[in-house]
Amino acid sequence: MPQGHDTDLLAIRCADCARSDSLDHDLRPTAYLPLPAEALAGYPDGVESVRRFSRRSFMRGGIGALAAVYGATQVRLPHMWDAAVANAAQPMQRSLVVLFLNGGNDGLNVIVPNDASQFAAYNTLRGPLARIQGPSSGTSVGTTVMPGTGSSLAFANKLVAGTANNGGTTGFDTMYGDGSGGAGSDLAVFPAADYTPPNLSHFSSRDFWFAGALQKMSTGWLGRWLDLYGSAVNPLQAVSLGSGLSKQVRSAKAPVCSVDQLGTTSFSIPGVSSSDVDLSYELGRLSGVPAASDNAGLGKARGAYGTTVQVAQQLKGITLGSTAAAYPNSILSTRLRTAATLLSAGLGTRIITIDWGSFDTHGNQVASQDPQLQTLSRAMAAFTDDLTARGIEQNVVTLVFSEFGRRAKANASNGTDHGAGGTMFVSGTAVRGGLAGIHPGVTSLDSNGDLKVQTDFRTVYEALIAEWLGGDPTAVIPGAPHGGIQRYDAGTRLMK
Amino acid sequence: LLTTRPDHVRARHPRAKAHHHAKRRPHRLHLPPLGTRILTSPMVDRLFWRAGFGPSQADRDRWTGRTAGAAVEYLLSTPQGPPAGPNPTNAGKPLSPTSSDTDLVLSWLDQMVRAPNPFVERMTFFWHRHFANSRDEVSPPQLLLTQTALFRKYSDFGRNPKASFKDLTYAVTEDPSMLRYLNGEQNNAKPPRIANENYARELMELFTLGVTNSAGQPNYSETDVHELAKAMSGWRINDADPNNVVSFYDATRHYPTPVSVLGTNAAMTDRQGVDVVLNSPAHAPYLLTKLWGEFISLPIDTGTLAQLRSLYLPGFQLRPVLTAILTHPALYASPNEPTLIKTPVVYVVGILRALRLGITDGSIVGLLDQMGQRPYFPPTVAGWEGGPAWMTTNGLFARFKAAGQILAQPGLTPKDSPSETPEQAVDTARLAVGNPWVADPTLTLLRDYAHRAPQSTPKARIVRQLVLRTFLLGGPDAQVC
């Protein structure tokens, strides 16, 4: 069997590629790219060590994971590796991690109105869901005033109550710092971020957020940025962590990829030993049988099988190395650790997307949302610590959002229904922390009983492009307001 | 290696060609001729995979040479009979679906494996994916068993020939599992309380209308969601006895005054709310397109959709629509090269049925999870994405492992045939696993393997059989139907 012949993957895939238009459109990978175990194994000495790799050494090292590659049918695997190696020789570029919270996170219980009249109105609307004003007790979740906001707002205490609720480590409160946007104030908060008129379907609203437009589009906002400013050959420039590709990074031509997990697996049959038959070899041959040109289903099945054979043949066991960062026990942590590993591996990765959580809290909200928010706070802080330990924290910014917020008034089920105006976060040592948008308060709601949207989410995207990733935001986000963000203190910059 | 390119027309009309030409009809839905289509053996396989969990040799023997109409009539008019074969077990014990979630899943797999009329269970599973409820959020598990029984009632057209989607939607709206999963039991809309919108929204978005129509226009407004939620209010659950959980209407929780939904303004019960929604012109295209896609890989054309609609409305009856879909030529296209990726459940149940095995072990549930489809645990209220998304690396490892693991069950060990040629070894393997479809070039490769494989000892020949059988049941060609 060929070992490390990097063209073979595409040879198996090519019959499949030709059919990509006829089957489930743009979700189909066009090629698969093995990720080297060595590159993913972590670098105790820092990112410098990646530069000793060549393409040859990459391939010899065995595969640590497999990236499903989308968007670029013409890219040959050797070119991908050349691109990765070339990137590895460059200083790390600025990158963006996008964390999507599934289901519609209730921002009103993340950032709580804290002055007397607003808190009273909030308390009436939320009833048993409301956080109490003031510090936590053994049975109640209180709030902590957000520095720099004139005490009119507070973080829900689960997120920020210092060491007790953050597991003895850091959380949103420490990332937010003094709210000044200076050194150590690295978490920017956007209350009531959304668009108008709001669409309260999970699936439609996600499409808008992912497209960066108030309509469905075939490309995502980050995919369009990659088309304009990314690499034409390096699929590792954008990685969706999970089994599928985020709609945010769907591109017209730039290659992008998804990586499911760093794990090990192989083919076996009970009662049959590896000395009896080389299953990968035989299954590889069976996978290579061409299907009729209009048979997308069979083409997909054989193509994916061929990919799986390649993984089985070359995959070597790899786990995420140990980390000093105090990640909570969560799949979110695993993905953030994978993100930190990829970013520090010097593979030219600019974009990473992660989907996480279950925030559709129609009933018994507190029991569901609180633990998730606590995990989110701790995992993001640990991610920051992880990046710092790897020496790349100055090059990574993280964006967090959900497809919408929740209705201001609680429903009859101790939950909240879909509502406009969720909360966005942007974090990183380069980010100007603090209150980066306006809180509309809860005494004047929109006609639907929702928060009045204050920040158009597209202005945050634009700021990330203009001030961080680079490029012309008007070319990437057509139809956006282009007005810049509007901070609580009347500033317009997202970055320090 | 050459690819065989099926001659669609010839294969599709082996005996009814003259009849077809005499009619000079376009390739659209035209029911009487379709019903008279004569089934070839590959077409029987196609029908029993798409409408069931794969054919048995008895199915092939019975239906080859007869009409598609007769076979579909059989599937849609034969009441489900008692399960055939031994009762299921897990680790030697009878299943206990209400105390073990593994057994809960196994209990449904068992019904699929032993169903005399496979269509009933296949259709029941469709409803589970349409009105998707998850055990993750539904307790006690008896609620899901009751809901599945409800779905089964609307899939057994021998018993319930006039089953309508409207009646099914009424029942689902008041079903304890759904009331729990989408918070209907908490929908107390007596003023000044406000309604819980969860069910009302998904009823329109996922179960009946879809967000937008084919022209991209919204099928309902946010106001319609708020107002419909009021109409749905008042239902509660009495779960004091987990084995007899019932829903009941509590008028003190129902929104008492008129609501305005999709242009209708009236005081509404939940059923009247369902009526209003199903009267939307968006409903029939939405449901019919989804039903079509369940069985057929080609997209539906507007003419066929219009004809299906005329069969479906105004009574919302399911059987005429399903008959038209299952006899449509598009289902039988490319008869010599299957086109639809099997869902994990159809794949696993298909293997068990082909080998005439029952449920005796829980490990298959974990493998189904790795494949991405554990019944009773859909990832969202929208069910499973499906289609090409099934073909993941993790999923294919699990599929291959499942085939090998099932073949390793006691009693299936191949017998040694010292005089068997490599070609005969392949034939033996095909027969042993129920003669599944395999492409001609694949067959050539299997024979090539059989030639090269060690075969000088009994053990080597048995290993060769095991490998061939696993390739046939778990290899690339086994992923489509």
Side-chain angles (χ1 to χ4, degrees):
Chain A
M1 281 303 294
Q3 292 282 346
H5 289 188
D6 44 13
T7 50
D8 293 342
L9 280 171
L10 291 189
I12 282 179
R13 296 290 311 175
C14 64
D16 195 29
C17 295
R19 263 172 242 116
S20 60
D21 289 341
S22 62
L23 183 71
D24 207 13
H25 43 269
D26 46 355
L27 267 177
R28 308 184 62 223
T30 51
Y32 287 83
L33 176 62
L35 302 185
E38 283 172 281
L40 298 172
Y43 298 95
D45 300 334
V47 293
E48 294 297 315
S49 55
V50 76
R51 295 182 187 164
R52 51 189 165 78
F53 287 129
S54 64
R55 172 153 58 96
R56 183 179 301 274
S57 75
F58 270 140
M59 300 313 300
R60 202 173 49 231
I63 296 181
L66 198 84
V69 177
Y70 303 77
T73 55
Q74 300 307 316
V75 179
R76 312 299 296 186
L77 203 47
H79 297 164
M80 294 180 189
W81 278 117
D82 290 342
V85 171
N87 272 297
Q90 300 295 320
M92 184 182 175
Q93 293 181 284
R94 290 171 170 181
S95 64
L96 178 67
V97 176
V98 185
L99 171 54
F100 171 66
L101 305 178
N102 280 304
N105 179 35
D106 178 27
L108 201 46
N109 271 14
V110 179
I111 309 298
V112 179
N114 201 49
D115 66 9
S117 63
Q118 288 289 329
F119 184 81
Y122 162 80
N123 208 26
T124 302
L125 286 165
R126 284 301 169 91
L129 296 189
R131 266 70 172 181
I132 63 166
Q133 200 168 18
S136 295
S137 68
T139 56
S140 302
V141 178
T143 54
T144 297
V145 172
M146 292 171 71
T149 62
S151 83
S152 61
L153 295 171
F155 274 121
N157 216 21
K158 276 277 184 185
L159 305 179
V160 298
T163 55
N165 279 325
N166 281 320
T169 66
T170 49
F172 276 173
D173 58 343
T174 51
M175 297 164 72
Y176 187 84
D178 64 5
S180 67
S185 177
D186 302 335
L187 178 68
V189 178
F190 297 86
D194 211 327
Y195 53 88
T196 51
N199 185 313
L200 299 184
S201 153
H202 290 294
F203 307 102
S204 297
S205 197
R206 280 174 202 172
D207 281 343
F208 296 174
W209 281 82
F210 294 162
L214 304 190
Q215 59 184 353
K216 274 186 88 155
M217 293 180 73
S218 60
T219 53
W221 70 288
L222 291 167
R224 289 194 301 280
W225 179 80
L226 291 163
D227 281 337
L228 286 169
Y229 305 110
S231 162
V233 291
N234 182 11
L236 291 165
Q237 64 186 321
V239 182
S240 284
L241 295 179
S243 54
L245 188 76
S246 168
K247 290 182 177 179
Q248 295 182 83
V249 295
R250 288 188 186 177
S251 62
K253 58 185 192 332
V256 297
C257 70
S258 69
V259 172
D260 193 1
Q261 57 182 339
L262 308 176
T264 179
T265 187
S266 63
F267 288 111
S268 64
I269 300 175
V272 178
S273 76
S274 58
S275 61
D276 292 327
V277 57
D278 183 342
L279 289 174
S280 287
Y281 173 74
E282 304 296 345
L283 287 168
R285 298 184 83 201
L286 298 178
S287 307
V289 174
S293 61
D294 60 350
N295 191 341
L298 181 59
K300 173 69 183 179
R302 286 178 177 156
Y305 225 109
T307 300
T308 309
V309 166
Q310 288 289 335
V311 179
Q313 189 185 334
Q314 297 179 279
L315 194 66
K316 288 188 176 176
I318 177 170
T319 56
L320 292 170
S322 61
T323 173
Y327 283 105
N329 183 17
S330 163
I331 182 68
L332 173 62
S333 298
T334 307
R335 294 203 170 135
L336 288 171
R337 287 180 65 190
T338 306
T341 305
L342 286 168
L343 289 168
S344 64
L347 299 168
T349 302
R350 306 290 308 275
I351 310 289
I352 289 180
T353 68
I354 298 170
D355 291 0
W356 178 73
S358 179
F359 286 91
D360 193 20
T361 50
H362 287 278
N364 304 319
Q365 171 171 315
V366 168
S368 169
Q369 191 197 23
D370 272 9
Q372 294 191 86
L373 289 178
Q374 190 172 46
T375 297
L376 176 67
S377 171
R378 291 169 58 181
M380 283 189 61
F383 181 55
T384 304
D385 295 343
D386 196 351
L387 295 174
T388 303
R390 293 168 187 268
I392 58 170
E393 79 285 357
Q394 75 283 2
N395 284 325
V396 181
V397 162
T398 303
L399 166 68
V400 183
F401 65 84
S402 193
E403 67 262 43
F404 40 59
R406 314 297 297 185
R407 187 71 36 82
K409 186 168 173 54
N411 63 24
S413 324
N414 291 335
T416 50
D417 291 317
H418 304 180
T423 300
M424 293 175 89
F425 297 100
V426 182
S427 73
T429 56
V431 173
R432 188 179 160 203
L435 188 61
I438 310 295
H439 196 293
V442 293
T443 51
S444 173
L445 301 169
D446 76 5
S447 61
N448 221 20
D450 294 338
L451 295 182
K452 287 180 174 170
V453 173
Q454 303 296 306
T455 296
D456 188 307
F457 74 103
R458 295 169 295 175
T459 63
V460 180
Y461 289 3
E462 289 184 293
L464 285 166
I465 292 165
E467 299 178 42
W468 182 246
L469 291 172
D472 175 7
T474 64
V476 177
I477 322 251
H482 307 315
I485 65 167
Q486 296 178 321
R487 301 183 72 102
Y488 168 75
D489 62 4
T492 57
R493 273 191 68 79
L494 178 58
M495 296 296 153
K496 287 192 170 89
Chain B
L1 298 172
L2 296 174
T3 307
T4 52
R5 292 195 62 103
D7 179 341
H8 295 202
V9 175
R10 189 186 62 215
R12 197 183 292 154
H13 303 287
R15 295 182 203 175
K17 201 171 185 178
H19 176 71
H20 178 82
H21 280 240
K23 292 280 183 183
R24 290 191 179 278
R25 287 170 191 256
H27 270 282
R28 292 269 171 96
L29 185 73
H30 39 108
L31 286 172
L34 296 182
T36 62
R37 173 181 311 279
I38 300 296
L39 295 173
T40 62
S41 183
M43 291 163 74
V44 174
D45 279 26
R46 174 67 54 85
L47 176 63
F48 278 82
W49 273 116
R50 300 284 175 90
F53 306 93
S56 65
Q57 192 54 47
D59 294 326
R60 293 178 181 130
D61 294 344
R62 179 173 179 186
W63 296 109
T64 300
R66 298 178 66 185
T67 65
V72 171
E73 169 73 12
Y74 163 78
L75 294 169
L76 269 66
S77 67
T78 306
Q80 187 63 287
N87 287 325
T89 56
N90 183 6
K93 295 177 185 163
L95 301 185
S96 179
T98 56
S99 57
S100 153
D101 283 348
T102 297
D103 284 7
L104 177 71
V105 176
L106 288 177
S107 71
W108 196 353
L109 294 176
D110 169 64
Q111 301 231 30
M112 298 179 191
V113 168
R114 295 198 293 154
N117 181 351
F119 177 77
V120 176
E121 286 307 308
R122 182 69 190 263
M123 195 67 205
T124 303
F125 192 51
F126 172 83
W127 294 128
H128 172 56
R129 286 142 55 219
H130 184 73
F131 295 106
N133 282 193
S134 172
R135 174 76 179 97
D136 277 334
E137 290 163 61
V138 174
S139 281
Q142 282 88 339
L143 268 61
L144 286 163
L145 291 169
T146 304
Q147 186 183 61
T148 304
L150 169 67
F151 293 155
R152 199 168 280 125
K153 179 181 170 188
Y154 285 86
S155 304
D156 189 341
F157 298 105
R159 283 206 172 74
N160 196 5
K162 295 191 184 305
S164 80
F165 185 79
K166 177 179 280 188
D167 288 340
L168 173 58
T169 308
Y170 287 164
V172 166
T173 301
E174 299 164 7
D175 170 56
S177 175
M178 186 62 84
L179 287 167
R180 187 142 285 177
Y181 184 64
L182 291 183
N183 307 91
E185 64 175 317
Q186 298 160 325
N187 187 3
N188 178 348
K190 184 178 177 60
R193 299 179 72 99
I194 60 170
N196 188 305
E197 296 173 0
N198 204 8
Y199 179 72
R201 179 182 303 280
E202 306 305 2
L203 175 64
M204 291 194 285
E205 176 170 343
L206 296 174
F207 303 154
T208 60
L209 303 183
V211 176
T212 56
N213 63 18
S214 58
Q217 300 302 309
N219 288 328
Y220 54 88
S221 69
E222 283 302 312
T223 302
D224 291 324
V225 174
H226 307 325
E227 295 287 284
L228 182 63
K230 296 173 183 173
M232 297 289 143
S233 62
W235 283 88
R236 301 176 66 182
I237 300 175
N238 181 345
D239 59 2
D241 175 1
N243 291 310
N244 185 29
V245 178
V246 293
S247 60
F248 63 98
Y249 177 72
D250 178 348
T252 68
R253 290 176 165 224
H254 186 73
Y255 190 79
T257 51
V259 299
S260 183
V261 181
L262 298 172
T264 299
N265 188 283
M268 282 183 207
T269 65
D270 60 316
R271 293 189 178 210
Q272 288 165 330
V274 168
D275 288 346
V276 169
V277 171
L278 294 189
N279 283 337
S280 163
H283 167 60
Y286 177 75
L287 182 72
L288 296 172
T289 301
K290 185 165 182 180
L291 279 170
W292 172 275
E294 170 69 7
F295 301 103
I296 296 177
S297 57
L298 297 167
I300 191 168
D301 65 75
T302 53
T304 302
L305 183 58
Q307 294 186 57
L308 288 181
R309 185 188 356 222
S310 69
L311 291 168
Y312 178 63
L313 300 175
F316 304 99
Q317 284 191 25
L318 293 160
R319 191 176 141 172
V321 169
L322 290 164
T323 301
I325 292 172
L326 293 175
T327 53
H328 195 278
L331 190 140
Y332 303 92
S334 182
N336 297 318
E337 199 188 81
T339 55
L340 202 67
I341 291 168
K342 292 174 188 169
T343 67
V345 165
V346 168
Y347 172 78
V348 166
V349 173
I351 292 174
L352 292 170
R353 285 181 72 106
L355 297 174
R356 301 183 188 185
L357 291 174
I359 297 289
T360 55
D361 177 40
S363 65
I364 197 65
V365 177
L367 287 172
L368 276 169
D369 203 27
Q370 193 182 337
M371 294 177 208
Q373 188 175 49
R374 185 164 45 133
Y376 290 125
F377 291 85
T380 73
V381 63
W384 287 271
E385 181 185 353
W390 292 127
M391 293 287 98
T392 64
T393 297
N394 274 342
L396 285 168
F397 278 126
R399 286 181 183 229
F400 188 82
K401 187 174 179 183
Q405 198 166 293
I406 293 168
L407 282 165
Q409 293 192 21
L412 288 185
T413 308
K415 291 187 178 60
D416 178 38
S417 303
S419 62
E420 200 169 57
T421 68
E423 285 73 17
Q424 287 168 336
V426 173
D427 291 343
T428 300
R430 293 174 78 187
L431 198 61
V433 298
N435 262 320
W437 173 79
V438 59
D440 289 344
T442 304
L443 201 53
T444 304
L445 290 171
L446 292 176
R447 289 175 179 143
D448 181 61
Y449 160 72
H451 270 281
R452 286 183 283 109
Q455 49 201 278
S456 59
T457 66
K459 178 180 178 298
R461 289 187 292 269
I462 287 171
V463 163
R464 181 173 70 177
Q465 270 299 311
L466 275 176
V467 171
L468 286 168
R469 293 176 189 190
T470 310
F471 285 168
L472 285 163
L473 286 180
D477 287 10
Q479 307 310 321
V480 291
C481 68

